[in-house]
Amino acid sequence: MKEYKVVKPSLGWRDRSEKLEEILNNHAKQGWVLHTVSKHEGYVQVIFERNKNR
């Protein structure tokens, strides 16, 4: 079974790519895999998935 996590990062105006990379790397260390990145009305949503531990 999978579980999902939605993150709405506050990236600001400077170093946006580096901040996003840091978020992705930190979640990867916890076993999360990037599922989707979307932008809606100026907000970015990052959705991660991983196998749920029983």
Side-chain angles (χ1 to χ4, degrees):
M1 175 178 259
K2 300 271 186 186
E3 67 178 323
Y4 296 88
K5 182 176 186 176
V6 177
V7 178
K8 295 180 184 176
S10 176
L11 299 175
W13 293 101
R14 299 185 70 197
D15 303 321
R16 296 180 93 184
S17 295
E18 290 83 1
K19 290 177 185 177
L20 182 57
E21 184 177 337
E22 182 178 337
I23 290 168
L24 295 172
N25 286 331
N26 286 338
H27 281 80
K29 289 175 186 175
Q30 299 171 27
W32 292 101
V33 176
L34 178 64
H35 183 272
T36 308
V37 177
S38 64
K39 183 177 176 184
H40 180 68
E41 295 181 2
Y43 293 96
V44 173
Q45 287 186 330
V46 182
I47 302 172
F48 295 96
E49 73 175 358
R50 70 177 175 187
N51 289 325
K52 188 172 186 173
N53 296 332
R54 292 182 178 210

